[in-house]
Structures are given as structure tokens and as C-alpha cells.
């Protein structure tokens, strides 16, 4: 049987790839449904919508010179769609441990001159170290 563009056929899912599914049409050969032609909703994983051996209705949307058949499930006019998608797998997200814990600051009104000097010295050394690391990275040099 010769396939015609625009006609709807029944077939079985023969194989599934990341980019679509291969459908074996009864008496007409094999065609491919691209991932963008599976459903009107976003499809990130083909296996959420189709399984191998599943019977589906497809519409022929193109046949190229090499004889490759392009199929669509979402362009079937009668509104029937493939099986509803399975709910996405929910992965438990653990909070990342807070490695950096900033030092508790003392209000300036309670700081003595020595405390202020120590704070200034520490922040200055940190800033100079950051600048040196930054310029070393830009220059491609490393200190050993």
C-alpha cells in the first residue's frame, strides 16, 4: 500500500529515540514522529507519551525523495491525542550546606579603636588577596 500525505493511518510504535518515535504503519512501511509532533504540549521525554508496542493513529505530513516518511500525532483533526503524559519524576532536592558563615559584626558604637583597626586590617588584607588572585588569573600566572 502506498502512503499518501494528509491521510491518517494506524500503526504501532516500533522504536523510541531521544528525538522521536518510529511507527510501523500497517502495510505501509515505517515512518518517524518527531518529538515536536507528538503532542500539543511540550515533550521533553518521548517515553512519557509513547511506549514500544503501543498502537497510535498518525497523520502523514511528508515523504522526502529518499522515501522517509514524516508522521504527526498532534495534527490529527478529530482531537484524539496520545495517552496523557505521566507526571514528571519529582526529585528530592536537598538544601546545600552553608559553608561560608560570615562573622558577626559588632555595632560601631560598641567597637573600641583596637577592634576597628583589626577589622580594617583584616578586610584590607582580604581585598588585596582577592585583587592579586584576580590579576594572576588574568595574566595566566600562578603563585606556588
Amino acid at each position: 500500500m502506498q502512503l499518501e500525505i494528509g491521510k491518517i493511518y494506524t500503526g504501532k510504535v516500533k522504536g523510541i529515540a531521544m528525538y522521536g518515535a518510529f511507527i510501523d504503519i500497517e502495510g505501509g512501511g515505517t515512518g518517524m514522529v518527531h518529538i515536536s509532533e507528538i503532542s500539543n504540549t511540550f515533550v521533553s521525554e518521548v517515553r512519557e507519551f509513547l511506549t514500544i508496542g503501543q498502537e497510535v493513529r498518525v497523520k502523514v505530513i511528508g515523504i522526502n525523495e529518499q522515501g522517509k516518511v514524516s508522521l504527526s500525532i498532534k495534527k490529527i483533526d478529530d482531537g484524539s491525542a496520545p495517552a496523557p503524559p505521566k507526571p514528571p519524576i519529582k526529585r528530592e532536592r536537598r538544601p546545600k550546606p552553608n559553608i561560608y558563615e560570615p562573622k558577626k559584626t559588632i555595632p560601631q558604637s560598641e567597637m573600641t579603636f583596637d577592634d576597628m583597626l583589626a577589622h580594617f586590617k583584616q578586610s584590607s588584607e582580604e581585598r588585596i588577596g582577592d585583587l592579586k588572585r584576580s590579576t594572576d588569573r588574568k595574566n595566566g600566572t600562578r603563585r606556588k
Side-chain angles (χ1 to χ4, degrees):
M1 171 171 80
Q2 185 73 10
L3 298 176
E4 295 179 33
I5 296 175
K7 284 206 170 184
I8 297 173
Y9 298 94
T10 303
K12 283 191 176 183
V13 178
K14 182 178 175 183
I16 295 177
M18 288 176 46
Y19 50 86
F22 295 95
I23 309 295
D24 193 18
I25 299 171
E26 296 173 6
T30 302
M32 190 192 80
V33 178
H34 189 265
I35 192 169
S36 63
E37 294 293 331
I38 291 176
S39 176
N40 289 323
T41 61
F42 177 74
V43 178
S44 63
E45 183 67 38
V46 178
R47 295 183 194 280
E48 292 178 2
F49 289 82
L50 300 171
T51 57
I52 294 178
Q54 178 182 353
E55 196 165 292
V56 291
R57 293 185 47 185
V58 292
K59 183 175 188 177
V60 178
I61 57 173
I63 302 173
N64 70 7
E65 292 128 13
Q66 290 86 24
K68 294 183 179 179
V69 181
S70 298
L71 305 171
S72 175
I73 296 173
K74 74 177 185 179
K75 290 187 180 176
I76 296 177
D77 297 328
D78 65 356
S80 67
K86 299 174 187 172
I89 299 170
K90 294 182 181 177
R91 295 186 177 128
E92 184 179 323
R93 296 191 181 206
R94 297 181 204 151
K96 293 183 180 178
N98 188 6
I99 297 171
Y100 172 76
E101 189 172 307
K103 296 180 181 176
K104 297 182 181 178
T105 58
I106 302 169
Q108 279 192 337
S109 61
E110 296 178 12
M111 291 178 89
T112 64
F113 177 76
D114 291 334
D115 291 338
M116 285 191 230
L117 186 61
H119 177 69
F120 174 76
K121 185 178 176 185
Q122 180 185 1
S123 64
S124 296
E125 288 174 357
E126 288 173 358
R127 288 181 184 167
I128 289 172
D130 290 342
L131 284 171
K132 283 183 180 178
R133 279 191 298 274
S134 176
T135 54
D136 285 347
R137 274 189 239 124
K138 290 178 184 174
N139 294 337
T141 59
R142 294 183 185 160
R143 292 175 61 176
K144 291 183 181 182

